[in-house]
Amino acid sequence: MPKPLSTSGGSPLRNRLLIGLGVLLVVGLLAGLLARLAGGGHTVPPPAGPSPAARPDPTPAAPVGPPDTLPAEAGPTVARPPHTTSPTDFAAAFAQTLWTYDARTVTQQGFVSGLRLWLTPEIEYADGASVEGQVPDPVLWSRLRDNAQTSTARDIEAHVPATYAQAIAKDPTALTKAYIYAVTVTGKVDIAWSDGGRGAEARALTLAVQCRPGKECALAAIAPTVYP
């Protein structure tokens, strides 16, 4: 996972850029830091072998229950988007789904197809490539299947990054074009594979979540940089 970058002490320009996260993710008008928010960068998928155990988190995290599962043709372990108007609840549920899989029972394409159902139907804001980039490619997925690898997410916590919240507080009208919120999700995954292998690691993502008034939330994109 990319290391979190500090956004403290950001300039008013950076604050405005964070406000426009969803729009900028899809129109390709970013440079420098903006390009890193454009959804084109991808994190490294979870390893097929052992992972170092994560340190205990002293801060209790609110548990997130698994949403309903999709029909088998979309992937038997891929969950449906939750019915919620809360950006943080939606983001937590998406991370739970993204980080939980059983390579023995779901195909790589089935998993990707299931995750794409979480995307907003507004195509000008939906960045499917940023979602697919979080999933191991077909070759690596086949190795995960051969190793009978499973991954289970736990201790999920979601929050709006401080810089984004401060920027919105200064200019609430900036949110009203796309109603896209930046949400950072943290958690841990327990990984198991054949012959009793086990490991654990910490995960983090910053998501662009669209929650228009009167409508349920949907995913716009996954930013390649994690914002605290």
Side-chain angles (χ1 to χ4, degrees):
M1 298 297 300
K3 293 182 179 180
L5 296 181
S6 173
T7 56
S8 61
S11 65
L13 174 59
R14 175 174 290 183
N15 289 341
R16 288 187 175 277
L17 296 177
L18 287 172
I19 293 173
L21 174 66
V23 177
L24 296 175
L25 278 167
V26 293
V27 298
L29 299 178
L30 306 179
L33 174 61
L34 300 182
R36 304 182 66 184
L37 286 171
H42 300 143
T43 59
V44 178
S51 301
R55 295 181 179 178
D57 188 346
T59 304
V64 177
D68 298 333
T69 56
L70 287 168
E73 60 269 18
T77 62
V78 184
R80 293 182 184 275
H83 302 291
T84 182
T85 57
S86 166
T88 52
D89 287 351
F90 179 92
F94 177 79
Q96 178 86 34
T97 300
L98 175 65
W99 296 335
T100 300
Y101 61 82
D102 186 339
R104 302 168 300 178
T105 60
V106 63
T107 65
Q108 192 267 0
Q109 188 55 54
F111 193 59
V112 170
S113 297
L115 293 176
R116 280 182 171 271
L117 295 179
W118 291 65
L119 289 166
T120 173
E122 299 182 36
I123 58 175
E124 64 270 34
Y125 300 119
D127 184 1
S130 68
V131 175
E132 187 169 355
Q134 294 289 325
V135 181
D137 63 36
V139 174
L140 179 54
W141 191 275
S142 68
R143 294 175 182 172
L144 301 184
R145 184 183 65 246
D146 292 343
N147 288 333
Q149 180 160 312
T150 63
S151 176
T152 304
R154 59 181 171 86
D155 298 341
I156 302 292
E157 186 276 334
H159 65 275
V160 175
T163 305
Y164 182 88
Q166 293 165 5
I168 292 298
K170 291 180 180 178
D171 184 9
T173 61
L175 184 64
T176 59
K177 179 178 181 179
Y179 284 96
I180 290 178
Y181 301 80
V183 182
T184 294
V185 187
T186 60
K188 296 180 177 66
V189 294
D190 295 317
I191 302 172
W193 56 94
S194 56
D195 299 325
R198 293 187 178 277
E201 62 184 25
R203 296 283 179 86
L205 284 173
T206 295
L207 309 178
V209 179
Q210 184 179 52
C211 300
R212 289 194 180 277
K215 294 185 178 181
E216 294 177 349
C217 295
L219 180 67
I222 301 175
T225 298
V226 179
Y227 289 85

